[in-house]
């Protein structure tokens, strides 16, 4: 087993390009949401929930990137598009959260 000091890099890593990461995550999220839902998802509640959970994960990633970017560079303005996407998604999730709970409740009743 290597001593712990050997695991620490000898040179500091360059700072991540947070603007590039934000752009990438926003682009991937927009492509994901613009894509038509697969035909096999039609009527399949589990596939529907999985798709929405994937979108939610992307938004959480975006939110975390924005927080890190603000912590590292509090004076630098950030992409307002990212903030707008998050605000809109949070509003939509609040509306669909109760619908997901109803779907899960219906599925558990069917399993009984």
């Amino acid at each position: 087993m290597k001593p712990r000091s050997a695991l620490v890099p000898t040179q500091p890593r360059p700072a991540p390009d947070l603007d590039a990461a934000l752009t990438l995550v926003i682009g991937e999220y927009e492509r994901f949401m613009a894509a038509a839902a697969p035909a096999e998802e039609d009527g399949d509640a589990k596939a529907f929930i999985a798709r929405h959970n994937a979108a939610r994960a992307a938004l959480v990633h975006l939110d975390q990137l924005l927080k890190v970017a603000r912590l590292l560079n509090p004076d630098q303005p950030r992409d307002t598009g990212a903030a707008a996407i998050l605000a809109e998604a949070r509003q939509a999730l609040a509306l669909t959260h109760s619908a997901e709970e109803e779907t899960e409740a219906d599925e558990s009743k069917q399993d009984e």
Side-chain angles (χ1 to χ4, degrees), residues 37-96:
E40 58 270 8
E41 185 178 299
D42 190 35
D44 182 1
K46 289 182 182 181
F48 173 82
I49 290 169
R51 181 171 173 79
H52 284 269
N53 284 340
R56 187 177 300 159
L59 293 173
V60 169
H61 187 191
L62 180 60
D63 189 41
Q64 294 302 314
L65 284 172
L66 284 171
K67 287 177 182 176
V68 168
R70 285 187 192 119
L71 285 172
L72 294 177
N73 302 306
D75 298 331
Q76 183 178 355
R78 291 287 157 204
D79 181 9
T80 55
I85 288 172
L86 285 172
E88 184 179 333
R90 286 183 180 125
Q91 184 180 19
L93 287 172
L95 295 174
T96 61

Side-chain angles (χ1 to χ4, degrees), residues 25-38 41 51-52 54-55 58-59 85 88:
V25 171
I26 290 169
E28 290 294 320
Y29 173 76
E30 288 175 339
R31 277 191 292 283
F32 181 80
M33 294 307 295
E41 185 178 299
R51 181 171 173 79
H52 284 269
L59 293 173
I85 288 172
E88 184 179 333

